[in-house]
Amino acid sequence: MEYTTEVLDRTTGDLKTISLGNWVSVTEYGVLKGVGSRQVRAILSHLGLLQEQLEVSKSGTSRVARRRLTDEAVKAGLGKRVYPKKAGTYPFDVLSPKGQEWIDQRWDDAVQTMAVETASSPMVKAAKECLDTFKASRRLEMTPQMEVCFLSDHFPDLLQVDMCRITGASPRMVSLHVNTRADQLRAWKAWRVAPLPATKQVTFNPDFIGTSR
């Protein structure tokens, strides 16, 4: 999307529209790089361009964690935060041409560093390969919660920071999904061992068999 601004031409006294270049959302930038929305945010977080923060949810009744541009990035002109005025819409970030160039210069190194971090641990490497194989066998896309639960089930010793590397989810969201799964397992185990509710005993009377009114 092309952003513009208006400046005053002091020689004529008229307002002139000046182009600020093509700005893209974080997700759109990820598409240009061939990665998904979670992965591009993980890479930009690794570069220190994004940080996790709590914001009002879409419903306006709770707070949710989102990875947004840092104040430093906005002040440096690398992008801006957008808060749509229409009710029920999500806030998002856009990257300026300067921000895109800044990322382009660091992108390959960040991707390589993150790949090395994953490959350096045999468990993390195996977990990622196992998850990728399972995802390829499914028709529907897995949500971050599904991926975290899968890793927790098959690799119980895997650290949450490694789940972040594998799934691209933020640390707060991984922690939330891990804790939610633990709460659900505790509730299910408690239900399984709980005594059955008392039922009214019915006495069988063979004389009623075959009788009719």
Side-chain angles (χ1 to χ4, degrees):
M1 179 182 294
E2 183 180 12
Y3 276 56
T4 60
T5 188
E6 291 186 334
V7 296
L8 178 65
D9 187 340
R10 297 185 180 278
T11 60
T12 63
D14 297 328
L15 289 175
K16 296 179 62 177
T17 300
I18 304 297
S19 174
L20 297 178
N22 184 42
W23 294 54
V24 298
S25 69
V26 172
T27 298
E28 290 171 340
Y29 183 82
V31 173
L32 295 175
K33 291 295 188 180
V35 299
S37 60
R38 271 187 282 156
Q39 189 174 358
V40 66
R41 284 168 172 78
I43 295 171
L44 298 190
S45 296
H46 177 83
L47 288 173
L49 199 66
L50 301 183
Q51 67 179 8
E52 195 173 48
Q53 67 181 53
L54 290 176
E55 292 185 334
V56 177
S57 66
K58 182 179 179 181
S59 64
T61 58
S62 60
R63 292 169 65 82
V64 296
R66 295 191 179 100
R67 284 183 283 195
R68 306 299 306 272
L69 284 170
T70 63
D71 292 337
E72 293 75 15
V74 174
K75 292 177 182 177
L78 302 182
K80 63 174 60 179
R81 300 177 182 178
V82 180
Y83 295 91
K85 296 180 180 180
K86 185 178 179 180
T89 55
Y90 294 97
F92 61 95
D93 295 333
V94 290
L95 301 170
S96 67
K98 178 181 178 181
Q100 297 170 53
E101 181 180 2
W102 186 92
I103 301 169
D104 287 341
Q105 294 172 355
R106 298 162 175 80
W107 180 269
D108 291 340
D109 288 341
V111 172
Q112 184 177 2
T113 299
M114 294 174 69
V116 170
E117 290 175 350
T118 299
S120 62
S121 169
M123 180 186 294
V124 176
K125 182 179 179 181
K128 185 179 186 306
E129 292 175 350
C130 184
L131 176 61
D132 289 344
T133 300
F134 182 72
K135 288 166 63 177
S137 69
R138 291 173 54 88
R139 294 183 179 180
L140 300 178
E141 184 178 355
M142 294 179 68
T143 64
Q145 183 174 10
M146 291 177 181
E147 294 183 4
V148 170
C149 289
F150 177 89
L151 294 172
S152 297
D153 290 339
H154 293 81
F155 299 88
D157 295 329
L158 193 65
L159 299 177
Q160 291 188 22
V161 65
D162 293 325
M163 293 185 186
C164 294
R165 294 192 179 104
I166 295 171
T167 64
S170 67
R172 189 185 297 273
M173 294 308 298
V174 168
S175 177
L176 173 64
H177 297 327
V178 169
N179 291 334
T180 299
R181 172 182 173 275
D183 291 341
Q184 291 173 342
L185 285 175
R186 280 193 292 268
W188 178 79
K189 290 178 180 178
W191 174 84
R192 187 180 63 175
V193 300
L196 293 174
T199 57
K200 184 178 180 180
Q201 186 174 3
V202 178
T203 303
F204 176 69
N205 188 347
D207 295 336
F208 283 104
I209 298 179
T211 60
S212 62
R213 293 184 179 180

